[in-house]
Amino acid sequence: MIEIRFHGRGGQGAVTAAELLAVAAFNDGYYSQAFPAFGVERRGAPVLAFTRINDEKIRVRSQIYSPDYVIVQDSTLVKTVNVVEGLKEDGMVVINSNKDPKEFDIGREIRAIDATKISLDVIGRPIMNTTMLGAFAGATGVVSLESVKKAVENRFEGKLKERNVRAVEVAYEKIKEDAR
Amino acid sequence: MMNEMQILEGSKAVALTVRSCRVDVISAYPITPQTHIVEDLAQMVADGETDAEYIKVESEFSALSALVGASAAGARTYSSTTSQGLALMFEVLFNASGMRLPIVMTTVNRSLSAPLSIWNDQQDSISVRDAGWIQLYAENNQETSDLLPIAYKVAEDKDILLPAMCCMDGFVLTHTFEPVEIPEQSLVDEFLPSYQPKYVLDPKNPLTFGAYADPSIYMEFRYQQHDAMLKAYEKFEEVAKEFEKVFGRKYDLVEEYKIEDAEIVLISMGSIVGTMKDAVDELRKGGEKVGILKIISYRPFPAEKIYEAIKDAKVVVVLEKDVSVGMEGGLLSDIKSFMYNREDRPPIVGFSVGLGGRDVTIGDIKGLVSKVKRAEAEEFEFLNLRREVL
């Protein structure tokens, strides 16, 4: 079972991202589960969301305490929240940041992408939840690019659909390119 | 015939299934965490995807009252609520059952105030245990969906005529995306024909529902309700067999998990059972003989099935998300009560767990089992209390 924890702020679409990742994994032929850390939603407050991906039916319902991956949608959260809490030793963080990943001294593998910039350029808004999923797929290979795109396509309509799919592609390519 | 699996939110699975049950009248008042169910249904009505009438109301009291009228007039009816909303319905719950109206309602399980909590436990539905409603509890969203047509079919049977609530854990199931096979329309139509009411409120043929009953007759009304609930036990088994024929998924009033050789039997209801199953698998790897009895039907109460499942156990542990304050959990009391007059009765202990949304992990379950094995568990206790804040 692969477990992923999302760190975001209220309004950044962490819950939607967790759901879309579950849909993408389902598209890839896996069982999956996504749920929010059921808080009182307030714009700007730190929020958590979770995704599980497995070959078999998923039964466990507790929150995720030792994830394989952590997705951080807002780099300022690193100062206030222990985003690597419980993260497996060989786990990875994918963070939305324009900084060199080496600047984050968090004791785990970390990959950074300036998802806000990509979202502003491609979508025209700083909403980077779908962009981060493209980066996650590119950095980890846990889900395929095609399945993420399909999940995003089914969630949005019209121009927003096209632009979100494009942002997923751009982030996917960018994070792969950075790794070379 | 297999339906296609799709991945969707639990609330959406419920709304789609309610639609496929060809409900005539829906009335509900939005309240967290039930909101997505009624939003989805309202959208379907507005988009013309269902012929159902959606009656907007100003409270849960009115929502269920509207359905009492609609059901008495012969409609198939649906509502959904949670927590404070269910509490506000209290008076009408007894009316619906006393008038023998087969209303079906999704009760999204949430704790009760005070202190205010929007999070999950099952205090709300357990607290209306005696209202004369069938109560079914779902472990996952396949069950939240499947139990709805089963509930209608049992409730509407001429020998039963009792309202039914399908309980699903708030947030834990309502807000979770997971794969579900939504029952296909043609199959639901085959399984669940339209409601044929035994008695209908009709001006041309006047009848009185919920009449004044003086002491010479009231007890007989109550007895008949009681008798119908007892009959619902076998009716559920019968309907579940029909469901399996049509949909290929098997249900019973209880579900046994690795219980055959189990020395420790854990009993619970709802979504926590999924986490318990993973915990039991881990414990069994370590050689522990642990099994689970999942209660799907709390009312009718599956006493005989529980007895069969636990009579050979060394110890029985009841885990539940409620407490009868100053006593113990409701399920624990019920099980101990009917076991008392049996010869072969294992010791039974109980835990209140996960109240007000406190997360319950695989580790918590394993710890609890270990405590029971060491004979350190009290007859009844709260799991994982933060004693430092008391």
Side-chain angles (χ1 to χ4, degrees):
Chain A
M1 179 135 66
I2 295 172
E3 297 185 311
I4 300 115
R5 185 171 67 211
F6 289 76
H7 289 270
R9 290 189 182 276
Q12 287 184 327
V15 175
T16 303
E19 291 168 2
L20 289 172
L21 182 58
V23 174
F26 179 75
N27 293 342
D28 277 335
Y30 295 105
Y31 283 94
S32 58
Q33 178 196 63
F35 54 100
F38 322 108
V40 181
E41 288 81 7
R42 291 156 297 157
R43 196 160 283 268
V47 297
L48 290 177
F50 307 96
T51 304
R52 287 191 172 99
I53 301 172
N54 200 19
D55 294 326
E56 290 166 29
K57 196 171 160 186
I58 299 167
R59 301 180 301 194
V60 61
R61 299 279 170 190
S62 66
Q63 295 189 16
I64 291 170
Y65 297 97
S66 37
D68 299 274
Y69 299 98
V70 168
I71 297 177
V72 183
Q73 295 184 319
D74 186 328
S75 62
T76 63
L77 283 166
V78 174
K79 289 176 200 154
T80 53
V81 179
N82 182 10
V83 297
V84 292
E85 190 173 9
L87 177 61
K88 295 204 172 93
E89 287 296 326
D90 57 350
M92 187 201 284
V93 176
V94 181
I95 191 166
N96 172 23
S97 171
N98 56 7
K99 287 188 199 160
D100 186 327
K102 289 187 197 94
E103 288 182 37
F104 297 96
D105 183 22
I106 53 178
R108 294 288 193 288
E109 187 181 355
I110 182 165
R111 306 287 299 277
I113 184 147
D114 194 351
T116 303
K117 182 173 186 304
I118 294 173
S119 304
L120 278 168
D121 290 348
V122 180
I123 306 174
R125 293 191 204 167
I127 305 298
M128 47 62 233
N129 56 347
T130 52
T131 311
M132 284 299 287
L133 288 183
F136 178 75
T140 66
V142 165
V143 284
S144 69
L145 174 63
E146 284 314 307
S147 289
V148 174
K149 281 163 64 178
K150 195 175 149 196
V152 170
E153 269 169 16
N154 287 330
R155 187 75 169 219
F156 298 95
E157 284 179 3
K159 277 221 164 65
L160 215 50
K161 170 159 80 179
E162 284 168 37
R163 289 172 181 174
N164 274 281
V165 170
R166 183 75 197 121
V168 167
E169 289 172 336
V170 170
Y172 179 89
E173 292 304 333
K174 177 83 173 79
I175 209 154
K176 274 197 167 293
E177 197 183 298
D178 290 350
R180 281 181 202 125
Chain B
M1 192 181 129
M2 288 290 286
N3 290 309
E4 207 179 328
M5 192 89 95
Q6 47 184 307
I7 181 162
L8 71 180
E9 194 189 50
S11 296
K12 188 67 180 278
V14 167
L16 287 170
T17 308
V18 168
R19 183 179 72 180
S20 72
C21 289
R22 297 198 187 278
V23 167
D24 300 306
V25 178
I26 300 164
S27 189
Y29 190 79
I31 172 170
T32 300
Q34 154 265 39
T35 327
H36 292 183
I37 295 173
V38 298
E39 283 174 357
D40 288 341
L41 283 169
Q43 190 71 49
M44 287 172 191
V45 172
D47 292 346
E49 290 175 10
T50 162
D51 296 330
E53 179 120 4
Y54 192 111
I55 303 177
K56 281 187 271 182
V57 286
E58 86 303 336
S59 74
E60 288 84 357
F61 183 92
S62 296
L64 193 55
S65 297
L67 295 191
V68 163
S71 184
R76 177 173 287 161
T77 56
Y78 176 80
S79 189
S80 179
T81 191
T82 179
S83 180
Q84 310 303 126
L86 187 67
L88 193 56
M89 283 180 178
F90 188 77
E91 181 179 336
V92 197
L93 291 172
F94 282 76
N95 276 321
S97 175
M99 291 185 215
R100 308 297 295 277
L101 301 171
I103 296 165
V104 171
M105 173 159 76
T106 300
T107 296
V108 170
N109 285 118
R110 173 187 137 180
S111 52
L112 284 158
S113 286
L116 177 61
S117 164
I118 58 165
W119 290 274
N120 163 247
D121 64 34
Q122 296 172 343
Q123 191 69 56
D124 49 2
S125 54
I126 300 291
S127 297
V128 298
R129 177 190 70 179
D130 300 335
W133 283 57
I134 292 165
Q135 281 198 6
L136 309 176
Y137 288 78
E139 177 196 331
N140 52 48
N141 283 326
Q142 189 64 61
E143 292 183 8
T144 61
S145 171
D146 288 346
L147 290 173
L148 283 163
I150 290 173
Y152 274 112
K153 192 147 181 162
V154 175
E156 291 174 357
D157 189 279
K158 286 185 170 55
D159 293 332
I160 309 298
L161 294 178
L162 289 172
M165 60 175 74
C166 296
C167 302
M168 68 189 292
D169 285 324
F171 289 118
V172 184
L173 291 179
T174 53
H175 286 56
T176 290
F177 264 62
E178 65 185 13
V180 178
E181 221 176 280
I182 298 294
E184 196 188 294
Q185 186 64 64
S186 62
L187 297 183
V188 178
D189 289 344
E190 183 189 331
F191 172 76
L192 183 69
S194 61
Y195 173 40
Q196 302 296 327
K198 197 169 179 181
Y199 305 104
V200 179
L201 206 54
D202 178 0
K204 287 182 207 131
N205 221 338
L207 292 171
T208 302
F209 282 68
Y212 189 72
D214 69 25
S216 71
I217 198 66
Y218 181 89
M219 263 182 89
E220 283 68 25
F221 274 92
R222 293 295 272 167
Y223 168 75
Q224 284 184 309
Q225 262 180 295
H226 179 70
D227 187 49
M229 188 63 88
L230 294 175
K231 284 179 179 149
Y233 184 108
E234 278 181 21
K235 186 56 68 181
F236 183 98
E237 290 179 319
E238 186 187 314
V239 168
K241 284 199 182 83
E242 288 173 46
F243 186 90
E244 190 188 354
K245 264 187 213 153
V246 177
F247 297 98
R249 289 186 293 278
K250 197 178 162 79
Y251 290 101
D252 197 350
L253 297 112
V254 299
E255 179 193 306
E256 294 183 356
Y257 186 76
K258 303 196 173 176
I259 223 161
E260 273 164 31
D261 63 340
E263 292 173 354
I264 301 175
V265 175
L266 311 175
I267 305 184
S268 197
M269 316 196 279
S271 67
I272 190 181
V273 174
T275 305
M276 288 164 60
K277 284 176 177 171
D278 277 8
V280 160
D281 283 4
E282 288 187 17
L283 286 164
R284 281 200 168 255
K285 273 182 198 156
E288 308 267 13
K289 289 184 176 169
V290 188
I292 299 167
L293 185 73
K294 173 170 93 180
I295 310 289
I296 291 180
S297 174
Y298 182 48
R299 290 292 182 273
F301 191 65
E304 284 311 313
K305 289 177 195 283
I306 297 173
Y307 170 69
E308 283 302 322
I310 67 175
K311 64 181 171 26
D312 299 323
K314 283 192 180 153
V315 59
V316 175
V317 188
V318 180
L319 289 75
E320 58 191 304
K321 294 180 175 179
D322 64 279
V323 58
S324 176
V325 175
M327 181 58 183
E328 61 190 13
L331 181 61
L332 176 64
S333 285
D334 284 356
I335 292 172
K336 288 203 301 197
S337 162
F338 81 82
M339 287 298 283
Y340 182 77
N341 286 331
R342 310 286 168 132
E343 295 260 319
D344 39 1
R345 44 170 208 257
I348 304 173
V349 297
F351 290 84
S352 271
V353 306
L355 300 187
R358 177 75 50 90
D359 203 17
V360 182
T361 65
I362 291 171
D364 292 334
I365 307 291
K366 288 162 74 177
L368 173 154
V369 168
S370 159
K371 188 172 189 181
V372 171
K373 272 199 72 174
R374 295 194 308 270
E376 285 170 9
E378 289 170 43
E379 191 171 338
F380 167 73
E381 61 182 288
F382 284 61
L383 178 73
N384 284 353
L385 271 188
R386 294 180 54 209
R387 301 225 172 250
E388 75 278 12
V389 299
L390 296 176

